Amino acid sequence: AILEGESSYEVQFRCTDATGARRWISEQVFVEPKGDGRLQSVAVCSDITPWKTAEEALRDSEARFRRVFTQGPLGMAVVGRDFRLVNANDMLCGMLGYSREELRTMRFADFTHPDDIAIDVELTRQVFAGEIPHYTVEKRYLRKDGKLLWGKLTATVVSGTPAETANGLNMIEDVTDHKRAEDQLRDMHAQLERRIEERTAQLEDQLAESI
């Protein structure tokens, strides 16, 4: 670089310190003219190990997040502060019956049951405002084919980004079968209670007639 006319350059390299620990060093070299017309160089070295460690940790974290997002068992979506979907994984597309491109043109209210929109919007507002770190709620989703899907939604804010620009992260578990089983069990209990009431009434009538 110096031969090409540059007045400074920077290089980063790893080395081993006196304790045997590996360190990252940034060396900045500045070239200045001397009074006799010759050039002299000044090198400034800085220990950037903490910065490089954080950079590597962030890179590893992003890689793990991508694996969970693309391969995980939950429907997942990144939601903007305007409630529009920034991205959605294949699992969520399959759950709702929409393509990723279709979901990116929608707000989550577009595929949420009307009775569940208000509470979801309010909780999302609280998360973005930093009033709560996350929330979990069971809500109803409307699939593209018109069918109802019950989902257990856990929502938070994507970490590692400034609060004022952070997106939301929605993780959705399909609990439709579980809710159906709950409804069936509730109906069975209700039917059993009715039968018990009817049988009790019959026995009381029989007792009254025998007196």
Side-chain angles (χ1 to χ4, degrees):
I2 299 302
L3 294 176
E4 296 173 356
E6 297 292 338
S7 60
S8 65
Y9 69 90
E10 178 185 7
V11 62
Q12 297 177 1
F13 59 90
R14 285 170 292 184
C15 66
T16 304
D17 64 17
T19 66
R22 301 284 288 177
R23 315 295 298 179
W24 271 97
I25 303 297
S26 170
E27 182 182 41
Q28 292 179 295
V29 179
F30 302 90
V31 178
E32 302 173 345
K34 296 175 63 176
D36 58 6
R38 291 183 297 173
L39 300 177
Q40 64 177 1
S41 62
V42 178
V44 179
C45 294
S46 303
D47 185 347
I48 59 170
T49 304
W51 180 79
K52 294 294 288 187
T53 301
E55 184 183 62
E56 291 171 357
L58 179 60
R59 189 161 50 246
D60 291 344
S61 176
E62 290 174 343
R64 286 195 297 272
F65 174 78
R66 283 194 295 272
R67 284 196 297 272
V68 171
F69 191 87
T70 58
Q71 303 172 16
L74 299 179
M76 299 182 70
V78 177
V79 181
R81 301 177 78 86
D82 59 356
F83 301 144
R84 288 189 180 278
L85 270 70
V86 178
N87 198 6
N89 68 354
D90 290 341
M91 182 63 71
L92 184 60
C93 293
M95 289 166 61
L96 298 178
Y98 289 99
S99 69
R100 185 175 289 103
E101 290 69 26
E102 288 174 318
L103 287 175
R104 284 175 176 168
T105 67
M106 304 170 73
R107 291 182 171 90
F108 64 67
D110 295 331
F111 48 81
T112 295
H113 190 283
D115 293 343
D116 295 340
I117 292 176
I119 183 62
D120 204 5
V121 169
E122 173 58 20
L123 289 171
T124 301
R125 183 200 65 77
Q126 293 179 34
V127 167
F128 277 131
E131 298 173 8
I132 55 176
H134 55 78
Y135 70 87
T136 299
V137 66
E138 289 186 350
K139 56 175 285 191
R140 289 161 290 182
Y141 292 89
L142 301 176
R143 288 174 43 87
K144 185 177 181 179
D145 59 12
K147 294 181 180 179
L148 191 70
L149 180 144
W150 272 98
K152 183 177 181 180
L153 166 67
T154 299
T156 187
V157 171
V158 178
S159 61
T161 53
E164 64 275 9
T165 60
N167 289 321
L169 177 63
N170 287 3
M171 294 164 283
I172 303 159
E173 178 186 1
D174 185 349
V175 295
T176 304
D177 291 341
H178 175 70
K179 295 297 288 188
R180 281 204 195 101
E182 281 186 346
D183 291 341
Q184 291 173 354
L185 184 60
R186 192 179 301 111
D187 290 343
M188 289 174 60
H189 285 167
Q191 292 175 13
L192 181 59
E193 288 176 356
R194 285 195 300 270
R195 290 176 181 176
I196 291 174
E197 290 174 356
E198 292 171 356
R199 183 56 179 161
T200 301
Q202 291 175 356
L203 292 174
E204 289 175 346
D205 291 342
Q206 293 174 1
L207 180 61
E209 292 174 357
S210 64
I211 295 176

Coordinates of all heavy atoms in Angstrom, one line a residue, residues 31-106:
V31 N 2.4 7.0 7.4 CA 3.6 7.4 6.7 C 3.7 8.9 6.6 O 2.7 9.5 6.1 CB 3.8 6.7 5.3 CG1 5.0 7.2 4.7 CG2 3.7 5.2 5.5
E32 N 4.8 9.5 7.1 CA 4.9 10.9 7.1 C 6.2 11.3 6.5 O 7.2 10.6 6.7 CB 4.8 11.5 8.6 CG 3.5 11.1 9.3 CD 3.6 11.6 10.7 OE1 4.7 11.9 11.2 OE2 2.5 11.6 11.4
P33 N 6.3 12.5 5.8 CA 7.6 12.9 5.3 C 8.5 13.5 6.3 O 8.0 14.2 7.2 CB 7.2 14.0 4.2 CG 5.8 14.5 4.7 CD 5.2 13.3 5.4
K34 N 9.8 13.3 6.2 CA 10.7 13.9 7.2 C 11.2 15.2 6.5 O 11.0 15.5 5.3 CB 11.9 13.0 7.4 CG 11.5 11.7 8.2 CD 12.6 10.7 8.3 CE 13.7 11.3 9.2 NZ 14.8 10.4 9.4
G35 N 11.9 16.0 7.3 CA 12.5 17.2 6.8 C 13.4 17.1 5.6 O 13.5 18.0 4.8
D36 N 14.1 16.0 5.6 CA 15.1 15.8 4.5 C 14.5 15.2 3.2 O 15.2 14.8 2.3 CB 16.3 14.9 5.0 CG 15.8 13.6 5.5 OD1 14.6 13.3 5.4 OD2 16.6 12.8 6.0
G37 N 13.1 15.0 3.2 CA 12.5 14.5 2.1 C 12.2 13.0 2.1 O 11.5 12.5 1.3
R38 N 12.8 12.4 3.1 CA 12.6 10.9 3.2 C 11.3 10.7 4.0 O 10.7 11.6 4.6 CB 13.8 10.3 3.9 CG 15.0 10.2 3.1 CD 16.1 9.5 3.8 NE 16.5 10.2 5.0 CZ 17.4 9.7 5.9 NH1 17.9 8.5 5.7 NH2 17.7 10.4 7.0
L39 N 10.8 9.4 3.9 CA 9.6 9.1 4.6 C 9.8 8.3 5.9 O 10.8 7.6 6.0 CB 8.7 8.2 3.7 CG 8.2 8.8 2.4 CD1 7.4 7.8 1.6 CD2 7.4 10.1 2.6
Q40 N 9.0 8.6 6.9 CA 9.1 7.8 8.1 C 7.7 7.2 8.5 O 6.7 7.8 8.1 CB 9.6 8.7 9.3 CG 8.6 9.8 9.7 CD 9.1 10.6 10.9 OE1 10.2 10.3 11.4 NE2 8.4 11.6 11.3
S41 N 7.7 6.1 9.1 CA 6.4 5.4 9.4 C 6.3 5.4 10.9 O 7.2 5.2 11.7 CB 6.4 4.0 8.8 OG 7.4 3.2 9.4
V42 N 5.0 5.5 11.3 CA 4.6 5.4 12.8 C 3.6 4.4 12.9 O 2.6 4.4 12.2 CB 4.1 6.8 13.3 CG1 3.7 6.6 14.7 CG2 5.2 7.9 13.1
A43 N 3.8 3.4 13.7 CA 2.9 2.3 13.9 C 2.2 2.4 15.3 O 2.8 2.7 16.3 CB 3.6 0.9 13.8
V44 N 0.9 2.3 15.3 CA 0.1 2.3 16.5 C -0.7 0.9 16.6 O -1.4 0.6 15.7 CB -0.9 3.4 16.5 CG1 -1.8 3.4 17.8 CG2 -0.2 4.8 16.3
C45 N -0.4 0.2 17.7 CA -1.0 -1.1 17.9 C -2.1 -1.0 19.0 O -1.9 -0.4 20.0 CB 0.0 -2.1 18.3 SG 1.2 -2.5 16.9
S46 N -3.2 -1.6 18.7 CA -4.3 -1.7 19.7 C -4.8 -3.1 19.9 O -4.9 -3.9 19.0 CB -5.5 -0.8 19.2 OG -5.1 0.5 19.0
D47 N -5.1 -3.4 21.2 CA -5.6 -4.8 21.5 C -7.1 -4.7 21.2 O -7.9 -4.0 21.9 CB -5.4 -5.1 22.9 CG -5.8 -6.5 23.3 OD1 -6.5 -7.1 22.5 OD2 -5.4 -7.0 24.4
I48 N -7.6 -5.4 20.2 CA -9.0 -5.4 19.8 C -9.7 -6.8 20.1 O -10.7 -7.1 19.6 CB -9.2 -5.1 18.4 CG1 -8.5 -6.1 17.5 CG2 -8.7 -3.6 18.1 CD1 -8.8 -5.9 16.0
T49 N -9.0 -7.6 21.1 CA -9.6 -8.9 21.4 C -11.0 -8.8 21.8 O -11.8 -9.6 21.4 CB -8.7 -9.6 22.5 OG1 -7.3 -9.6 22.0 CG2 -9.2 -11.0 22.8
P50 N -11.4 -7.9 22.8 CA -12.8 -7.9 23.2 C -13.8 -7.6 22.0 O -14.8 -8.3 21.9 CB -12.8 -6.7 24.2 CG -11.4 -6.7 24.7 CD -10.6 -7.0 23.6
W51 N -13.4 -6.7 21.1 CA -14.2 -6.4 20.0 C -14.4 -7.6 19.1 O -15.5 -8.0 18.6 CB -13.7 -5.2 19.3 CG -14.5 -4.8 18.0 CD1 -15.6 -4.1 18.0 CD2 -14.2 -5.2 16.7 NE1 -16.1 -4.0 16.7 CE2 -15.2 -4.6 15.9 CE3 -13.2 -5.9 16.1 CZ2 -15.3 -4.7 14.5 CZ3 -13.3 -6.0 14.7 CH2 -14.3 -5.5 13.9
K52 N -13.2 -8.3 18.8 CA -13.3 -9.5 17.9 C -14.0 -10.6 18.5 O -14.8 -11.3 17.9 CB -11.8 -9.9 17.6 CG -11.0 -8.9 16.7 CD -11.6 -8.7 15.4 CE -11.4 -9.9 14.5 NZ -11.8 -9.7 13.1
T53 N -13.9 -10.8 19.9 CA -14.6 -11.8 20.6 C -16.1 -11.6 20.5 O -16.9 -12.5 20.2 CB -14.2 -11.9 22.1 OG1 -12.8 -12.1 22.1 CG2 -14.9 -13.0 22.8
A54 N -16.5 -10.3 20.7 CA -18.0 -10.0 20.6 C -18.4 -10.2 19.1 O -19.6 -10.7 18.9 CB -18.2 -8.5 21.0
E55 N -17.6 -9.8 18.2 CA -18.0 -10.0 16.8 C -18.2 -11.5 16.4 O -19.2 -11.9 15.8 CB -16.9 -9.4 15.9 CG -17.2 -9.4 14.4 CD -16.0 -8.9 13.6 OE1 -14.9 -9.5 13.6 OE2 -16.2 -7.9 12.9
E56 N -17.3 -12.3 16.9 CA -17.4 -13.8 16.7 C -18.6 -14.3 17.4 O -19.3 -15.2 16.8 CB -16.1 -14.5 17.1 CG -14.9 -14.1 16.3 CD -13.6 -14.7 16.8 OE1 -13.7 -15.3 17.9 OE2 -12.6 -14.5 16.2
A57 N -18.9 -13.9 18.6 CA -20.1 -14.4 19.4 C -21.3 -14.0 18.6 O -22.3 -14.8 18.6 CB -20.1 -13.8 20.8
L58 N -21.4 -12.7 18.1 CA -22.6 -12.3 17.4 C -22.8 -13.1 16.1 O -23.9 -13.5 15.8 CB -22.4 -10.8 17.0 CG -23.6 -10.2 16.2 CD1 -24.9 -10.3 17.0 CD2 -23.3 -8.7 15.9
R59 N -21.6 -13.4 15.4 CA -21.7 -14.2 14.2 C -22.2 -15.6 14.5 O -23.1 -16.2 13.8 CB -20.3 -14.3 13.5 CG -20.4 -14.9 12.2 CD -19.1 -14.5 11.4 NE -17.9 -14.7 12.1 CZ -17.1 -13.7 12.5 NH1 -17.4 -12.5 12.2 NH2 -16.0 -14.0 13.1
D60 N -21.7 -16.2 15.6 CA -22.2 -17.5 16.0 C -23.7 -17.5 16.4 O -24.5 -18.4 16.1 CB -21.4 -18.0 17.2 CG -19.9 -18.4 16.8 OD1 -19.7 -18.5 15.6 OD2 -19.1 -18.5 17.7
S61 N -24.1 -16.4 17.1 CA -25.5 -16.3 17.6 C -26.4 -16.1 16.4 O -27.5 -16.8 16.3 CB -25.6 -15.0 18.5 OG -27.0 -14.8 18.8
E62 N -26.0 -15.4 15.4 CA -26.8 -15.2 14.2 C -26.9 -16.5 13.4 O -28.0 -16.8 12.9 CB -26.2 -14.1 13.3 CG -26.3 -12.7 13.8 CD -25.5 -11.7 13.0 OE1 -24.7 -12.1 12.2 OE2 -25.8 -10.5 13.2
A63 N -25.8 -17.3 13.4 CA -25.9 -18.6 12.7 C -26.8 -19.5 13.4 O -27.6 -20.3 12.8 CB -24.5 -19.2 12.7
R64 N -26.8 -19.5 14.8 CA -27.7 -20.4 15.5 C -29.2 -20.0 15.3 O -30.1 -20.8 15.2 CB -27.4 -20.3 17.0 CG -26.1 -21.1 17.4 CD -26.0 -21.3 18.9 NE -25.9 -20.1 19.6 CZ -24.8 -19.4 19.9 NH1 -23.6 -20.0 19.5 NH2 -24.8 -18.3 20.6
F65 N -29.4 -18.6 15.3 CA -30.7 -18.1 15.1 C -31.3 -18.6 13.7 O -32.4 -19.0 13.6 CB -30.8 -16.6 15.2 CG -32.1 -16.0 14.8 CD1 -33.1 -16.0 15.7 CD2 -32.3 -15.4 13.6 CE1 -34.4 -15.5 15.4 CE2 -33.5 -14.9 13.3 CZ -34.6 -14.9 14.2
R66 N -30.4 -18.5 12.7 CA -30.8 -18.9 11.3 C -31.2 -20.3 11.3 O -32.2 -20.7 10.6 CB -29.7 -18.6 10.3 CG -29.6 -17.1 9.9 CD -28.7 -16.9 8.7 NE -27.3 -17.3 9.0 CZ -26.4 -16.5 9.4 NH1 -26.7 -15.2 9.7 NH2 -25.2 -16.9 9.6
R67 N -30.4 -21.2 12.0 CA -30.7 -22.6 12.0 C -32.1 -22.9 12.7 O -32.9 -23.6 12.2 CB -29.6 -23.4 12.8 CG -28.4 -23.6 11.9 CD -27.5 -24.7 12.5 NE -27.0 -24.3 13.9 CZ -25.9 -23.6 14.2 NH1 -25.2 -23.2 13.2 NH2 -25.6 -23.4 15.4
V68 N -32.3 -22.2 13.9 CA -33.6 -22.4 14.6 C -34.7 -21.8 13.7 O -35.8 -22.4 13.6 CB -33.5 -21.6 15.9 CG1 -34.9 -21.6 16.6 CG2 -32.5 -22.3 16.9
F69 N -34.5 -20.7 13.0 CA -35.6 -20.1 12.2 C -35.9 -21.0 11.1 O -37.1 -21.1 10.7 CB -35.1 -18.7 11.7 CG -36.2 -17.9 11.1 CD1 -37.0 -17.0 11.9 CD2 -36.4 -17.9 9.8 CE1 -38.0 -16.3 11.4 CE2 -37.4 -17.1 9.2 CZ -38.2 -16.3 10.0
T70 N -35.0 -21.5 10.4 CA -35.2 -22.3 9.2 C -35.6 -23.8 9.5 O -36.3 -24.4 8.7 CB -34.0 -22.2 8.2 OG1 -32.9 -22.7 8.9 CG2 -33.8 -20.8 7.8
Q71 N -35.0 -24.3 10.6 CA -35.2 -25.8 10.8 C -36.0 -26.1 12.0 O -36.3 -27.3 12.3 CB -33.8 -26.4 10.9 CG -32.9 -26.2 9.7 CD -31.5 -26.6 9.9 OE1 -31.2 -27.4 10.8 NE2 -30.6 -26.2 9.1
G72 N -36.3 -25.1 12.8 CA -37.0 -25.4 14.1 C -38.4 -25.9 13.9 O -39.0 -25.8 12.8
P73 N -39.0 -26.4 15.0 CA -40.4 -27.0 14.9 C -41.5 -26.0 15.0 O -42.7 -26.4 14.9 CB -40.4 -28.0 16.1 CG -39.5 -27.4 17.1 CD -38.4 -26.7 16.3
L74 N -41.2 -24.8 15.3 CA -42.2 -23.7 15.5 C -42.4 -22.8 14.3 O -41.4 -22.6 13.6 CB -41.8 -22.9 16.7 CG -41.7 -23.6 18.1 CD1 -41.3 -22.6 19.2 CD2 -43.0 -24.3 18.5
G75 N -43.6 -22.3 14.1 CA -43.8 -21.3 13.1 C -43.1 -20.0 13.7 O -43.4 -19.7 14.8
M76 N -42.3 -19.3 12.9 CA -41.6 -18.2 13.4 C -41.8 -17.0 12.4 O -41.8 -17.3 11.1 CB -40.2 -18.5 13.6 CG -39.9 -19.5 14.7 SD -38.2 -19.8 15.0 CE -37.7 -18.3 15.9
A77 N -41.9 -15.8 12.9 CA -42.0 -14.6 12.0 C -41.2 -13.5 12.7 O -41.3 -13.3 13.9 CB -43.4 -14.3 11.8
V78 N -40.6 -12.7 11.8 CA -40.0 -11.4 12.3 C -41.0 -10.3 11.9 O -41.4 -10.2 10.8 CB -38.7 -11.1 11.6 CG1 -38.1 -9.8 12.0 CG2 -37.7 -12.2 12.0
V79 N -41.4 -9.5 12.9 CA -42.5 -8.6 12.7 C -42.0 -7.1 12.9 O -41.3 -6.9 13.9 CB -43.7 -8.8 13.7 CG1 -44.8 -7.8 13.5 CG2 -44.2 -10.2 13.5
G80 N -42.3 -6.2 12.0 CA -41.8 -4.9 12.1 C -42.7 -4.1 13.1 O -43.8 -4.5 13.5
R81 N -42.3 -2.9 13.4 CA -43.0 -2.1 14.4 C -44.3 -1.6 13.8 O -45.2 -1.1 14.6 CB -42.1 -0.9 14.8 CG -40.8 -1.3 15.4 CD -39.9 -0.1 15.8 NE -40.4 0.5 17.0 CZ -40.0 0.1 18.3 NH1 -39.2 -0.9 18.4 NH2 -40.5 0.8 19.3
D82 N -44.5 -1.7 12.5 CA -45.8 -1.4 11.9 C -46.7 -2.6 11.8 O -47.7 -2.6 11.2 CB -45.6 -0.8 10.5 CG -44.9 -1.7 9.5 OD1 -44.4 -2.8 10.0 OD2 -44.7 -1.4 8.4
F83 N -46.3 -3.7 12.5 CA -47.0 -4.9 12.6 C -47.0 -5.7 11.3 O -47.7 -6.7 11.1 CB -48.5 -4.7 13.0 CG -48.6 -4.1 14.4 CD1 -49.6 -3.2 14.6 CD2 -47.7 -4.3 15.4 CE1 -49.7 -2.5 15.8 CE2 -47.8 -3.7 16.6 CZ -48.8 -2.8 16.8
R84 N -46.2 -5.3 10.3 CA -46.0 -6.1 9.1 C -45.0 -7.2 9.2 O -44.0 -7.0 10.0 CB -45.6 -5.2 7.9 CG -46.7 -4.3 7.4 CD -46.3 -3.6 6.1 NE -47.4 -2.7 5.7 CZ -48.5 -3.1 5.0 NH1 -48.6 -4.4 4.6 NH2 -49.4 -2.3 4.6
L85 N -45.2 -8.3 8.5 CA -44.2 -9.4 8.6 C -43.0 -9.1 7.7 O -43.1 -8.8 6.6 CB -44.9 -10.7 8.2 CG -45.5 -11.5 9.3 CD1 -46.8 -10.8 9.8 CD2 -45.8 -12.9 8.9
V86 N -41.8 -9.1 8.4 CA -40.6 -8.9 7.6 C -40.1 -10.2 7.0 O -39.6 -10.2 5.9 CB -39.5 -8.3 8.6 CG1 -38.2 -8.1 7.8 CG2 -40.0 -7.0 9.2
N87 N -40.3 -11.3 7.8 CA -39.9 -12.6 7.3 C -40.7 -13.7 8.0 O -41.3 -13.4 9.1 CB -38.4 -12.8 7.5 CG -37.9 -13.9 6.6 OD1 -38.6 -14.5 5.8 ND2 -36.6 -14.3 6.8
A88 N -40.9 -14.8 7.4 CA -41.6 -15.9 8.0 C -40.9 -17.2 7.5 O -40.3 -17.3 6.4 CB -43.0 -16.0 7.5
N89 N -40.9 -18.2 8.4 CA -40.2 -19.5 8.1 C -41.2 -20.4 7.4 O -42.4 -20.2 7.3 CB -39.5 -20.1 9.3 CG -40.5 -20.6 10.3 OD1 -41.7 -20.4 10.2 ND2 -40.0 -21.3 11.3
D90 N -40.6 -21.5 6.9 CA -41.5 -22.5 6.1 C -42.5 -23.1 7.0 O -43.6 -23.4 6.5 CB -40.6 -23.6 5.6 CG -39.7 -23.1 4.4 OD1 -40.0 -22.0 3.8 OD2 -38.7 -23.8 4.1
M91 N -42.2 -23.3 8.3 CA -43.2 -23.9 9.2 C -44.5 -23.0 9.3 O -45.6 -23.5 9.2 CB -42.6 -24.1 10.6 CG -43.5 -24.8 11.6 SD -44.0 -26.5 11.1 CE -42.5 -27.4 11.3
L92 N -44.3 -21.7 9.5 CA -45.4 -20.8 9.6 C -46.2 -20.7 8.3 O -47.4 -20.7 8.3 CB -44.9 -19.4 10.0 CG -46.1 -18.4 10.2 CD1 -47.0 -18.9 11.4 CD2 -45.5 -17.0 10.6
C93 N -45.5 -20.7 7.2 CA -46.1 -20.7 5.9 C -47.1 -21.9 5.7 O -48.2 -21.8 5.3 CB -45.1 -20.7 4.7 SG -44.2 -19.2 4.6
G94 N -46.6 -23.1 6.2 CA -47.4 -24.3 6.1 C -48.5 -24.3 7.1 O -49.6 -24.7 6.7
M95 N -48.3 -23.7 8.2 CA -49.4 -23.6 9.2 C -50.6 -22.8 8.7 O -51.7 -23.1 8.9 CB -48.9 -23.1 10.5 CG -48.0 -24.0 11.3 SD -47.0 -23.2 12.6 CE -48.3 -22.6 13.7
L96 N -50.2 -21.6 8.1 CA -51.3 -20.7 7.6 C -51.7 -20.9 6.2 O -52.7 -20.3 5.8 CB -50.7 -19.2 7.8 CG -50.4 -18.9 9.3 CD1 -49.9 -17.4 9.3 CD2 -51.6 -19.0 10.2
G97 N -50.9 -21.6 5.4 CA -51.3 -21.8 4.0 C -50.9 -20.7 3.1 O -51.4 -20.7 1.9
Y98 N -50.1 -19.8 3.5 CA -49.7 -18.6 2.7 C -48.2 -18.9 2.3 O -47.5 -19.5 3.0 CB -49.8 -17.3 3.4 CG -51.2 -16.8 3.7 CD1 -51.8 -17.0 4.9 CD2 -51.9 -16.1 2.7 CE1 -53.1 -16.5 5.1 CE2 -53.2 -15.6 2.9 CZ -53.8 -15.8 4.1 OH -55.0 -15.4 4.4
S99 N -47.9 -18.3 1.2 CA -46.5 -18.3 0.8 C -45.7 -17.2 1.6 O -46.3 -16.3 2.1 CB -46.3 -18.0 -0.7 OG -46.7 -16.7 -1.0
R100 N -44.4 -17.3 1.6 CA -43.6 -16.3 2.3 C -43.8 -14.9 1.7 O -43.9 -13.9 2.4 CB -42.1 -16.7 2.2 CG -41.2 -15.7 3.0 CD -39.8 -16.2 3.1 NE -39.6 -17.4 3.9 CZ -39.5 -18.7 3.4 NH1 -39.5 -18.9 2.1 NH2 -39.4 -19.7 4.2
E101 N -43.9 -14.9 0.3 CA -44.1 -13.6 -0.4 C -45.5 -13.0 0.0 O -45.6 -11.8 0.2 CB -44.0 -13.8 -1.9 CG -42.6 -14.1 -2.4 CD -42.1 -15.5 -2.0 OE1 -43.0 -16.4 -1.7 OE2 -40.9 -15.7 -1.9
E102 N -46.5 -13.8 0.2 CA -47.8 -13.3 0.6 C -47.8 -12.8 2.0 O -48.3 -11.7 2.3 CB -48.9 -14.4 0.4 CG -49.2 -14.8 -1.0 CD -50.2 -16.0 -1.1 OE1 -49.9 -17.0 -0.3 OE2 -51.1 -16.0 -1.9
L103 N -47.1 -13.5 2.9 CA -47.1 -13.1 4.3 C -46.3 -11.8 4.4 O -46.7 -10.9 5.3 CB -46.4 -14.1 5.1 CG -47.3 -15.4 5.4 CD1 -46.5 -16.4 6.2 CD2 -48.6 -15.0 6.2
R104 N -45.3 -11.5 3.6 CA -44.6 -10.3 3.7 C -45.4 -9.1 3.3 O -45.0 -7.9 3.5 CB -43.3 -10.4 2.8 CG -42.2 -11.3 3.4 CD -41.1 -11.4 2.5 NE -40.0 -12.2 3.1 CZ -38.9 -12.7 2.4 NH1 -38.9 -12.5 1.1 NH2 -38.0 -13.3 3.0
T105 N -46.5 -9.2 2.7 CA -47.4 -8.1 2.3 C -48.5 -7.9 3.4 O -49.4 -7.0 3.2 CB -48.1 -8.4 0.9 OG1 -49.0 -9.4 1.0 CG2 -47.0 -8.7 -0.1
M106 N -48.5 -8.7 4.4 CA -49.6 -8.7 5.4 C -49.1 -8.2 6.8 O -48.0 -8.3 7.1 CB -50.2 -10.1 5.5 CG -50.6 -10.7 4.2 SD -51.1 -12.4 4.3 CE -52.6 -12.4 5.2

